[in-house]
Amino acid sequence: MEMLQQMVSVAVVLGLLGGTLWWLRRRGLAQVSGLPGLPRRKSAALLQRVERLSLSPTHSLHLVRLADRAILIASSPSGCQVVESSPWSYLEKTQLEKVVEQRP
């Protein structure tokens, strides 16, 4: 009986958390990304974080898309620095060429 009560309690707490997340998402106060089963929305934002590569616990590279520009930014404890900037269409073209080359 005690086990059933614990399972029901956990289910109620998870239900409340899910309901709160749903309510926050509807009001625009929370965003959830990367969860399976959730449809991905195309963002019309001018600035997008495309990818992040961690080099060490304190150093990382960030690929950012700003309109039609791809910007590679290095971040460290001493600050951030732009490493490379190129047209986004050039980056997409080179990525497509790599995919085609890898196919047998």
Side-chain angles (χ1 to χ4, degrees):
M1 186 66 177
E2 186 177 316
M3 179 81 135
L4 180 63
Q5 184 180 5
Q6 289 177 353
M7 290 174 59
V8 170
S9 298
V10 168
V12 167
V13 168
L14 291 177
L16 287 171
L17 286 173
T20 303
L21 180 60
W22 173 82
W23 180 76
L24 289 171
R25 284 185 68 210
R26 297 265 312 189
R27 299 199 67 200
L29 300 173
Q31 293 180 355
V32 178
S33 62
L35 291 178
L38 287 179
R40 291 188 174 223
R41 297 180 185 158
K42 275 289 189 184
S43 177
L46 186 64
L47 183 66
Q48 295 176 339
R49 180 182 143 248
V50 178
E51 197 169 341
R52 177 182 178 265
L53 175 64
S54 181
L55 302 174
S56 73
T58 58
H59 296 79
S60 60
L61 292 173
H62 302 268
L63 180 61
V64 177
R65 180 180 182 179
L66 175 63
D68 191 36
R69 300 289 304 168
I71 304 169
L72 184 64
I73 301 170
S75 67
S76 66
S78 62
C80 296
Q81 184 175 3
V82 174
V83 176
E84 180 72 32
S85 177
S86 64
W88 182 256
S89 55
Y90 175 76
L91 183 67
E92 284 182 325
K93 180 182 172 190
T94 56
Q95 282 293 78
L96 182 61
E97 289 173 356
K98 285 182 183 180
V99 169
V100 170
E101 289 175 1
Q102 290 177 355
R103 288 187 181 168

